Amino acid sequence: MTAFAQIIIIGTGFGGLCMAHKLKEAGYDDILILEKAHEVGGTWRENTYPGAECDIPSALYSYSFAQNPTWDYKWAKQPQIFKYLKDFATDYDLRRHIRFGVSVQGATWMENISNWTIQTDQGELSCRFLISGVGQLHHPKWPNIPGRESFKGDTFHSAQWDHDFDLTGKRVGVIGVGASAIQFIPEIAQQAKKLTIYQRTPNWVIDKGDRPYSRIEKWIAKRFPALANLYRFGLWFQGEFIIYPIIKGAPLRAALARARNRSDMNKHISDPKLRKILTPDYPIGAKRILFSDKYYEALARDNVELVTEPIKEINATGIKTTNNNFAHDVIIYATGFYSNPFLKELDIQGRNKATLVDHWQNGAFAYLGVMTAGFPNLFFLYGPNTNTGHTSIIFKLEQEVGYIIKLIRGAENGTVEVGPEAEHAFSEEMQTRLSKLAWAKIDESWYKDGDKIPNNWPGSSLEFKKRLKTPIWDHFETT
Ligand code: N01
């Protein structure tokens, strides 16, 4: 017989763990969490590249109900965030709900019994409510560059770092200059004999102003939680009222941010040619604004070269650009993740065996990011149109978790499903609003799928919180 749990959650990242804890707090205990790996942590378990750290200030990058007063740095490093999640799973008694080493392959809605059957590499399971906590940035993206397989040296992706490969004294090529690359480039520049960075599009980079927290600051945060909360609120406020207006295209805010970028760049880079190729020609905020104190400094090193000529091919010895050949011992792909199609590795079949892949063939959408019509009792955490460029995703995950619990309660152990009209109206609203923001001003980014922007939320996080406070039951059907 298929093992049954009332609620199954896929993934143990920030979303899945928060969901499980809050469900337990709400009185649910028949919860199973499926995790393909052998430890919790999601993105913070997977991404271990040198220099991996958060680009949201630590004080904001934690659950509101489990703040950590002892972050070592203003911007927490990966090992400490990973530890935070491991400790959270233990301290909140979540581990007994987790089945490690179980990879979910698909799920099928069983109309006759109103349950989901989950297919995994370890056999079938079933549940009444299924919650995806797999996030948006899960599968490393390898670029389609001719000859990629012919390279004879070592090769790895930033999200699957080969820690056994010693970069000391090596000729290293890095493809990509996104959020991941700018964190590890300053670290490996100190080891490599020669570091060649292939930049297709420059990014807007602003100093982080990182520093360790002093013992007295940690003591204050621990002893006076109200002050820690106030500090957290200040960080949230900055994202909401300084960075979000840039994405909305507020001219003064955008001009100030560009001036800040120029001043930070000029501090580290004196070569006008290098400054020029590092300056984006697209609106600030159109791609994620990057924060680093060390990236520009690393680019100014004698052993580092920034190449902007397009890559033509990869061959046995290295990378060929339009006019040059570069020999490498190792090529590191910092080329991001497959963000679309959403949940592409999962074969999910809803009512009438309709697949999620077909349902989302023209770009993913979901009502408030959490439910899509035709797939009853299926919920998404960090789903379509919930990503943000200006604040902590954990803030939004908490709103989603609260909302999903209300929907599960509303279903009274039967079914809940969003109506197609409400979802359609919501999706139209999203794309109309998104088309006016900075994200729409460039042709490609991981936020986009063709002309649509299926990943991002167009509003403030305060608006998100308000809209997810109480379900509008007219938009749902419950049985
Ligand atoms: O990936 P990216 P990432 N030839 O997609 C280039 C989160 N994150 O892993 O811009 C040459 O941003 C591509 O070039 P272009 C965060 O949300 C969070 O760095 O497409 N280059 C780009 O430079 C972030 O936004 C943290 O022209 C190619 C790079 O590869 C998201 O993850 C830390 C290419 C990809 O950049 C993704 O960041 C790190 C090709 N064929 C990441 N294909 C935190 O701190 C791609 N590129 C929370």
Side-chain angles (χ1 to χ4, degrees), residues 208 210 274 288:
K208 267 184 159 176
D210 197 12
L274 187 54
R288 191 175 174 95

Side-chain angles (χ1 to χ4, degrees), residues 165-172 188-194 329-330:
F165 189 90
D166 184 5
L167 295 168
T168 311
K170 299 287 195 306
R171 296 162 305 171
V172 182
I188 68 170
Q190 298 171 44
Q191 292 172 279
K193 179 173 156 203
K194 171 89 190 174
D329 301 306
V330 55

